[in-house]
Amino acid sequence: MTSFTSETNVSYDNDRPRALRSWKVEDLTLLLGTAFSALALNWIFYTALTTATGATGFVVTWTLLFYTFYYLANRIELGPQAASDRLWTAFTWSAALLLLAPLITILLYVIVKGLPGLTKDFFTQDLSATGTLDTGGGASAAIVGTLEQVAIAVFISVPLGVLTAVYLNEVRGKFRRPVRMFVDAMSGIPSIVAGLFIYAVWIVAFGHGFSGFAASLSLSILMLPTICRTSEEVLRLVPGGLREGSLALGATRWKTVRQVVLPTAASGLVTAVVLGVARAVGETAPLIMTAFGSTALNRNPFSGAQDSLPLFVYRLITNPFPAQQQRAWTGALVLVIVVLILFTAARWLGARASGQKR
Amino acid sequence: MTSLNTDINELVDPAPAGGLTAKDVSCWFGERKVLERVSLEMRPRTVTALIGPSGCGKSTFLRTLNRMHELIPGAQLGGQVLLDGEDIYNPEVRATETRRRIGMVFQKPNPFPAMSIRENVLSGLKLSGLKADDPDSIVEKALTRAGLWKEVSDRLDSAGGALSGGQQQRLCIARSLAVEPEVLLMDEPCSALDPTSTLRIEDTIAEISDRVTVVIVTHNMQQAQRVSQQCAFFLAAENKPGHIVEAGPTSTIFTRPSDPRTEDYVNGRFG
Ligand SMILES: Nc1ncnc2c1ncn2[C@@H]1O[C@H](COP(=O)(O)OP(=O)(O)O)[C@@H](O)[C@H]1O
Ligand SMILES: [Mg+2]
């Protein structure tokens, strides 16, 4: 007993958090050592023993060898239990890396290809006076077009989508089932069909001509189901007790929705909007027959053909001249940056909306 | 016999604000009848406790008193509920106005998570469309009466959800009191709380009952005895709708009940 007490005193007299899962140097050595020996053996395999070639095969066999070595080494050091635990950890890490690899590769590729064309002019000039062989010019027409079209689409589809979600989850009206069915069916509409629909109705039948607004309409069709269904899920997470509490204070149903349910769900609703925007911002097909595309800057989304970043990229990358292809890559890079900025802003807004009072 | 007494009382004291009378209240969920002809007098500025085993319809009855019952799809009701002599189910009376006059505190504390403590207290005013002339004094008064002012006066702008369970429940009481209801209904307000918080809430009930009529559902016999002056014992036989077995002064119900089932229940022999 006494020895126990004295031991406790010796080991724990520092009042600070104890490291519970520390990585020891040996663990790291084991990991790197097995990875390296797997690499070495694999290399001998590929160069000396067989005539196999190809990077993909090399990585696959290396990975498999690594798993084997890592498991065996851990088994010798720590026993079968810990070894299989380590092996599964390695598997999950590999899966995560595998998932990240395409994303990172795409990002790096777009950055490398697009960066040389990323100048100040790219944001301030259009292509109206630039020939196919000229350098210079920029994507201002496309950037302005994309921002305006997506903004108008958000303006149309967010109120509609959220109100429909409120109808589905808060009002619980008679037409819940058919409405939900329509929304589900809408989410299956191919984007080119949404574009064709707006083309046939708004542009041909109503005779409005190409415009950024027509593009916004077709994008709204695509965003609406995403925003609506996500919002509905988010509203469903608001506890019923809050609604009862509000009603018991003498609130009407509408006030309950506006002042209690929607603010409580704010961060989730921001996510819903982000998912909707994500669906729309990179769409190309429906824009071909609605915004049509243009080399000249058109600030007015309500009249005349307008450009957009996806259209810009699509038009120029199919062009054989290097200057045009360079612009296409830079356009793609700007599109990625725009998406990243939108997402970061939305996340930040969402965190603020919910984190502030929690 | 009790009704005669109250009639005389009402003659003596012409407008006792906050008197609530249930007359032959029956309730259904769809086809199923869960309450049968419940009549009860809840006197103004008095604490009435509703006791009885689980599932005998106490919550359902409480929810008919401020028209929360009808919010459940398929719920129906018969009979009358009179607030100061006026039927609250009269088609000319708005349900929202009734609910403002008859507040409710729930079993699970439900402060609004998107609002600060201060906003929570003022939420009732905002939600029922009332104007606050002096919001600061309303907040202080409501929190003081709910026994929470000292604990939170220095952090009114922090989240209501960050309080302890007992504090959250007192915040909900303050929120209800801020709209100056005549009646406050409480459905097992302490069943999710620890003993210390429970005692704080009981103090709060004693404190507010000089201004509002309180109707409280409780499973705790000691609590019923500590906080209430009047008491009603509910019971439901197997697959039968619930009804009131006996109602009267709390001391009578607990010491000289006239029905043997009441005696068994208050002495903990069933339920
Ligand atoms: N929303 C509901 N739908 C259908 N039946 C219900 C609902 N709420 C309560 N009941 C039924 O009504 C009866 C009374 O319930 P309740 O009033 O909650 O009892 P208590 O509060 O006394 O425990 C119970 O049999 C319960 O199953
Ligand atoms: Mg109950």
Side-chain angles (χ1 to χ4, degrees):
Chain A
M1 245 12 250
T2 36
S3 76
F4 176 76
T5 326
S6 66
E7 240 176 49
T8 321
N9 283 342
V10 169
S11 357
Y12 307 127
D13 60 354
N14 284 327
D15 185 23
R16 55 191 159 88
R18 295 175 55 194
L20 297 178
R21 273 201 312 166
S22 60
W23 265 82
K24 297 199 200 75
V25 182
E26 300 92 89
D27 297 331
L28 197 63
T29 328
L30 204 66
L31 182 69
L32 293 178
T34 46
F36 182 75
S37 45
L39 177 66
L41 183 65
N42 200 32
W43 188 74
I44 295 172
F45 243 56
Y46 265 70
T47 52
L49 297 180
T50 65
T51 55
T53 50
T56 320
F58 188 87
V59 171
V60 169
T61 44
W62 177 25
T63 314
L64 292 177
L65 277 173
F66 165 69
Y67 288 150
T68 321
F69 285 8
Y70 192 55
Y71 178 77
L72 290 176
N74 272 307
R75 202 187 153 99
I76 293 163
E77 286 286 315
L78 305 164
Q81 281 260 320
S84 72
D85 181 55
R86 290 272 169 95
L87 186 64
W88 279 104
T89 310
F91 282 160
T92 50
W93 270 96
S94 317
L97 286 179
L98 206 63
L99 200 86
L100 277 177
L103 182 71
I104 291 169
T105 320
I106 290 172
L107 272 180
L108 285 180
Y109 200 70
V110 171
I111 291 172
V112 168
K113 292 284 258 187
L115 212 50
L118 199 66
T119 56
K120 192 173 136 275
D121 285 354
F122 196 80
F123 295 93
T124 54
Q125 295 186 6
D126 61 15
L127 292 178
S128 55
T130 317
T132 44
L133 290 170
D134 298 345
T135 52
S140 68
I143 295 170
V144 167
T146 284
L147 291 180
E148 285 183 356
Q149 288 155 23
V150 171
I152 295 174
V154 165
F155 207 73
I156 296 172
S157 57
V158 168
L160 265 177
V162 173
L163 279 178
T164 311
V166 166
Y167 175 79
L168 288 175
N169 198 56
E170 304 296 319
V171 182
R172 296 177 170 267
K174 257 202 218 114
F175 300 108
R176 252 175 107 194
R177 271 169 177 278
V179 168
R180 181 170 296 149
M181 223 175 68
F182 272 122
V183 174
D184 281 346
M186 247 177 115
S187 66
I189 295 178
S191 58
I192 190 142
V193 175
L196 273 174
F197 172 71
I198 297 299
Y199 175 74
V201 175
W202 183 257
I203 294 177
V204 176
F206 287 5
H208 283 298
F210 298 119
S211 69
F213 183 69
S216 304
L217 288 179
S218 65
L219 293 180
S220 302
I221 295 180
L222 300 173
M223 289 166 68
L224 201 57
T226 312
I227 293 182
C228 178
R229 287 312 298 266
T230 318
S231 305
E232 197 201 343
E233 294 302 322
V234 167
L235 293 183
R236 198 173 295 159
L237 292 178
V238 175
L242 296 181
R243 294 185 184 87
E244 286 209 312
S246 167
L247 292 168
L249 286 165
T252 58
R253 282 214 178 253
W254 171 236
K255 277 226 163 149
T256 302
V257 168
R258 225 187 48 203
Q259 310 216 347
V260 175
V261 178
L262 291 182
T264 306
S267 75
L269 292 174
V270 171
T271 309
V273 175
V274 170
L275 289 177
V277 171
R279 174 94 165 82
V281 73
E283 277 296 346
T284 320
L287 303 185
I288 297 174
M289 54 219 123
T290 50
F292 192 71
S294 151
T295 51
L297 174 63
N298 174 11
R299 282 205 182 82
N300 184 357
F302 295 102
S303 114
Q306 215 182 18
D307 211 5
S308 88
L309 276 170
L311 275 183
F312 177 91
V313 173
Y314 171 70
R315 229 176 30 240
L316 298 188
I317 201 73
T318 47
N319 198 298
F321 301 105
Q324 297 287 62
Q325 295 210 351
Q326 177 59 57
R327 289 190 189 105
W329 280 109
T330 310
L333 176 59
V334 172
L335 186 58
V336 168
I337 293 172
V338 167
V339 171
L340 279 181
I341 291 176
L342 283 178
F343 274 35
T344 319
R347 287 250 156 245
W348 183 74
L349 275 177
R352 247 174 58 112
S354 66
Q356 172 187 35
K357 296 284 154 60
R358 210 157 275 174
Chain B
M1 15 145 223
T2 33
S3 68
L4 186 69
N5 272 340
T6 31
D7 284 348
I8 292 168
N9 277 344
E10 272 166 16
L11 287 177
V12 176
D13 184 2
L20 205 54
T21 311
K23 279 193 178 160
D24 289 331
V25 171
S26 299
C27 289
W28 294 263
F29 285 111
E31 291 297 299
R32 199 166 143 242
K33 194 175 191 181
V34 300
L35 269 187
E36 177 147 307
R37 291 181 162 270
V38 173
S39 297
L40 186 66
E41 171 86 41
M42 286 145 283
R43 298 188 186 165
R45 294 160 194 158
T46 304
V47 180
T48 305
L50 310 181
I51 58 172
S54 277
C56 63
K58 305 179 300 293
S59 297
T60 307
F61 176 67
L62 202 68
R63 291 166 64 91
T64 63
L65 299 180
N66 72 338
R67 302 192 61 169
M68 293 296 285
H69 177 65
E70 70 206 54
L71 294 173
I72 296 167
Q76 288 177 293
L77 111 166
Q80 287 185 311
V81 177
L82 308 178
L83 175 59
D84 293 333
E86 302 272 348
D87 187 0
I88 64 169
Y89 285 97
N90 187 331
E92 272 142 45
V93 180
R94 279 207 311 265
T96 50
E97 177 61 13
T98 301
R99 295 193 194 114
R100 192 201 57 75
R101 294 176 65 190
I102 309 178
M104 189 161 202
V105 174
F106 297 82
Q107 182 168 357
K108 199 164 163 259
N110 57 355
F112 301 130
M115 299 181 191
S116 66
I117 292 175
R118 187 188 138 84
E119 286 167 334
N120 259 290
V121 176
L122 293 173
S123 62
L125 294 165
K126 210 164 113 191
L127 285 165
S128 57
L130 295 176
K131 264 258 160 292
D133 292 332
D134 186 1
D136 289 331
S137 85
I138 290 178
V139 169
E140 177 168 357
K141 238 170 58 190
L143 284 172
T144 308
R145 289 179 71 198
L148 192 60
W149 176 251
K150 284 201 197 96
E151 287 154 69
V152 301
S153 59
D154 57 341
R155 48 174 172 149
L156 291 176
D157 288 319
S158 63
L163 299 173
S164 76
Q167 288 174 325
Q168 286 187 22
Q169 194 63 299
R170 277 179 280 147
L171 178 59
C172 292
I173 294 175
R175 181 175 75 184
S176 297
L177 291 176
V179 292
E180 311 233 320
E182 288 140 64
V183 183
L184 190 59
L185 310 174
M186 307 177 111
D187 192 354
E188 300 185 36
C190 304
S191 64
L193 307 181
D194 61 283
T196 317
S197 301
T198 299
L199 287 179
R200 303 288 313 258
I201 304 262
E202 288 179 11
D203 288 344
T204 303
I205 295 171
E207 164 82 23
I208 63 177
S209 63
D210 63 334
R211 300 259 307 266
V212 294
T213 309
V214 176
V215 185
I216 178 172
V217 174
T218 176
H219 273 127
N220 182 328
M221 293 304 115
Q222 285 80 36
Q223 180 169 68
Q225 280 175 279
R226 283 193 298 259
V227 299
S228 73
Q229 291 90 52
Q230 296 283 316
C231 190
F233 173 52
F234 282 67
L235 195 60
E238 196 87 20
N239 289 324
K240 286 272 175 51
H243 62 283
I244 292 188
V245 171
E246 193 175 348
T250 305
S251 51
T252 315
I253 296 284
F254 278 89
T255 53
R256 301 180 305 280
S258 54
D259 195 294
R261 290 171 296 177
T262 314
E263 185 168 6
D264 285 350
Y265 183 75
V266 299
N267 290 315
R269 284 196 273 274
F270 76 94

